[in-house]
Amino acid sequence: MNNFEINKVVKLINNGVFTDAEKLLQSILQKSDDRLAHYLKSIIFAKSTRFAEAETELLDMIEKDPRDIDALNVLAFVYRRQNKLKDALGIFNEAAELDQNRTEFYYHIAGIQILEGNLKAAFMAYAKVIEFDSCFAPAYNNLGIVYFESHEYNKAVNILRQGVNLAGKDPKLRYNYAIALSSVNMLSEAAHEYEVALELKPFWTSALNNLGVIQVRLGHLDHAGGSFDLILDEDPLNPEAWNNLGVVLAKQGFKEEALSHFHKALETRESYEDAKSNIQILEANKNDFIFSQFNMLLDEDTDIRINIPKVQSNPLQGEYLGVPIQHLVDLFKYLKDITAFLPQNNRKEFTQSDVRLNIEHIINTLEGHRGILQEIQETESREKEDISDNGESEKSNGKELKVSELTDFFEYLGQLTSNIPDASLAALLASKIKKAISAIK
């Protein structure tokens, strides 16, 4: 597969246009048994929940190369999506043994271990993630949950605090940190964290509910009632909010209103044990009411990402248009640096312009990445091979690079340099560009 085909398929997959992507890959596979085409095809199958086809495709790839990390990774996701947790865990472990520096493998291993109830194994895997990547905030979030579920509340607070310091705008981290703080009776700090989470994610039912519970524990009953009222404004059938607002009313001495709220909670959920218990507590004139609280939120990543393997660099050699390739590379790198001096509007104009030859594209191509100039060279080479007996060149389907296109490019760049605020620098660059145009012509 060439770069154009890869980019087109990846774009179609990312946009969810699986049928068109599959057709393009089928046409590619009819020409050659391309490993990357099979890999992308397996991702299409997996993302469109055609798991049996994805598994067949991936197992064929792994049979050809048992060390194919990318195929193993997608196969593990296929099993995970089908809730075949042990199969997925086995494949992720195999992949991690083959490449011990791939952080995501340990992250996914840990997530499955939590679902399996193996908290110690999950702890070890998340610790491994943080060891490899100390800035990976989701690992701090989930490790904090592991500590919390293991009743090591102080450790949960400490690790979640580190996560918040890394990713303070993640509402989930703030929410979990608040739960951990409340578990060690740091109620004011917990209320603050819920408020921050709600600033980041307004009208978040879970955060509003837990904030209300904390406000009750702090003795701020009116504020707590306001939190539960906000939930019911957004979700009138929320049983937890009806139950918890009933608790607030009971604590304020409004027995009949509280009973009405508990019964409303039962209407929305018949099997709601907390509401049933609170009715009994209220009728027995006790005060140990039961609040409905939410659990911590695990960070899960079950999205299958496309991992295009890096191609080995194969720099172009010799000359192009009579100019040594390395000189062209140096020239275009220099021109690329020039654009950094342009005012913002002109830089934007340049990057969005219709100039056919993009500087970055040319540099990458000349340094060995497949691109338009490499294709042009191959076209020219094919044309030489296609010279007929009478010396005439047969028609080629390839594209040709005309001298006028290069000079047009330089002239356009010359116009842009006139906008550089430093007049002396602009004049110097204009002079160099004129020399380049003359040399090419």
Side-chain angles (χ1 to χ4, degrees):
M1 291 179 72
N2 59 39
N3 277 350
F4 175 77
E5 290 169 331
I6 293 169
N7 292 335
K8 187 171 182 179
V9 171
V10 170
K11 186 175 181 180
L12 288 169
I13 293 173
N14 288 337
N15 291 334
V17 189
F18 299 133
T19 302
D20 290 351
E22 188 178 349
K23 285 179 181 176
L24 180 53
L25 288 171
Q26 286 289 75
S27 67
I28 292 167
L29 287 168
Q30 285 173 1
K31 299 172 189 174
S32 65
D33 189 32
D34 188 284
R35 178 258 174 203
L36 184 53
H38 283 292
Y39 167 70
L40 292 172
K41 194 175 175 183
S42 74
I43 289 179
I44 291 172
F45 290 150
K47 282 181 175 286
S48 54
T49 66
R50 295 157 63 184
F51 297 126
E53 293 169 272
E55 186 175 349
T56 299
E57 196 76 35
L58 291 161
L59 289 174
D60 285 344
M61 292 180 67
I62 294 166
E63 185 178 354
K64 292 175 183 175
D65 179 8
R67 300 180 66 85
D68 190 331
I69 295 292
D70 297 317
L72 288 167
N73 184 43
V74 179
L75 181 60
F77 271 111
V78 167
Y79 290 141
R80 171 70 181 83
R81 289 277 187 86
Q82 297 175 87
N83 209 34
K84 298 178 179 178
L85 299 182
K86 285 185 169 55
D87 291 332
L89 186 60
I91 297 295
F92 275 130
N93 277 316
E94 185 178 343
E97 286 177 12
L98 290 171
D99 187 348
Q100 297 183 12
N101 295 316
R102 287 276 287 270
T103 304
E104 69 267 28
F105 293 149
Y106 297 101
Y107 181 71
H108 297 309
I109 287 168
I112 294 173
Q113 295 287 17
I114 284 183
L115 294 174
E116 291 277 86
N118 302 323
L119 296 184
K120 187 173 181 180
F123 164 80
M124 297 297 291
Y126 284 131
K128 195 82 169 176
V129 174
I130 293 171
E131 179 186 337
F132 282 140
D133 185 357
S134 60
C135 294
F136 191 57
Y140 289 89
N141 180 80
N142 293 358
L143 182 54
I145 293 174
V146 172
Y147 277 131
F148 186 86
E149 294 295 331
S150 303
H151 307 293
E152 297 190 56
Y153 301 122
N154 286 314
K155 289 183 179 179
V157 168
N158 289 334
I159 200 72
L160 286 165
R161 183 184 292 122
Q162 292 179 56
V164 166
N165 289 338
L166 283 171
K169 292 187 177 181
D170 183 340
K172 190 182 295 182
L173 261 168
R174 292 280 187 176
Y175 173 88
N176 287 339
Y177 183 37
I179 293 177
L181 288 167
S182 65
S183 70
V184 294
N185 212 34
M186 297 175 69
L187 302 183
S188 297
E189 294 85 348
H192 171 73
E193 290 303 320
Y194 283 128
E195 287 165 358
V196 173
L198 285 163
E199 287 175 10
L200 296 167
K201 187 178 176 180
F203 304 109
W204 185 8
T205 300
S206 301
L208 278 169
N209 178 81
N210 286 9
L211 175 59
V213 174
I214 293 296
Q215 287 166 332
V216 170
R217 292 175 65 184
L218 287 168
H220 305 153
L221 296 180
D222 288 339
H223 289 137
S227 294
F228 299 130
D229 276 331
L230 277 174
I231 297 173
L232 292 172
D233 287 342
E234 293 293 314
D235 182 9
L237 298 178
N238 188 295
E240 287 82 10
W242 282 110
N243 176 79
N244 291 350
L245 185 53
V247 173
V248 172
L249 290 167
K251 286 180 175 293
Q252 290 175 322
F254 301 110
K255 183 174 180 179
E256 294 304 318
E257 291 88 341
L259 277 171
S260 173
H261 280 67
F262 293 142
H263 283 295
K264 187 69 177 180
L266 283 172
E267 286 175 20
T268 56
R269 186 190 297 162
E270 291 183 6
S271 60
Y272 195 5
E273 294 300 325
D274 288 352
K276 291 178 183 178
S277 297
N278 283 335
I279 291 171
Q280 295 173 355
I281 290 168
L282 186 61
E283 290 175 343
N285 292 317
K286 295 181 180 179
N287 198 34
D288 48 348
F289 293 101
I290 300 171
F291 280 107
S292 295
Q293 299 188 57
F294 283 71
N295 295 322
M296 286 191 167
L297 300 174
L298 192 69
D299 243 316
E300 282 195 282
D301 185 0
T302 57
D303 184 37
I304 304 171
R305 289 181 173 81
I306 299 172
N307 181 36
I308 303 298
K310 294 180 180 178
V311 180
Q312 292 265 331
S313 176
N314 184 23
L316 301 187
Q317 304 295 324
E319 295 184 345
Y320 190 78
L321 293 175
V323 181
I325 294 288
Q326 188 54 52
H327 290 185
L328 283 175
V329 171
D330 294 340
L331 171 63
F332 283 110
K333 283 185 175 179
Y334 176 71
L335 293 174
K336 177 186 171 185
D337 292 339
I338 287 173
T339 60
F341 291 95
L342 294 169
Q344 184 176 355
N345 289 342
N346 298 112
R347 284 203 305 273
K348 186 176 180 181
E349 178 190 349
F350 175 73
T351 56
Q352 296 180 355
S353 70
D354 292 328
V355 178
R356 181 166 177 266
L357 297 176
N358 174 274
I359 290 179
E360 195 74 52
H361 182 59
I362 295 172
I363 293 171
N364 288 341
T365 301
L366 292 174
E367 289 188 327
H369 305 290
R370 185 171 181 82
I372 190 168
L373 290 184
Q374 186 170 348
E375 289 170 3
I376 290 165
Q377 282 200 327
E378 290 173 356
T379 299
E380 290 177 345
S381 176
R382 285 196 300 271
E383 285 179 342
K384 289 177 183 177
E385 293 173 359
D386 290 340
I387 297 293
S388 61
D389 291 337
N390 59 14
E392 294 181 355
S393 175
E394 295 180 4
K395 186 176 180 181
S396 170
N397 292 324
K399 297 177 181 178
E400 294 183 8
L401 178 63
K402 298 177 182 177
V403 171
S404 62
E405 291 174 313
L406 279 178
T407 56
D408 289 346
F409 171 78
F410 280 111
E411 285 170 356
Y412 177 81
L413 192 60
Q415 294 169 15
L416 286 178
T417 58
S418 65
N419 293 301
I420 293 177
D422 187 331
S424 60
L425 178 60
L428 174 64
L429 297 176
S431 172
K432 287 181 177 292
I433 288 170
K434 284 179 181 176
K435 289 181 181 178
I437 294 171
S438 299
I440 290 171
K441 286 182 175 179

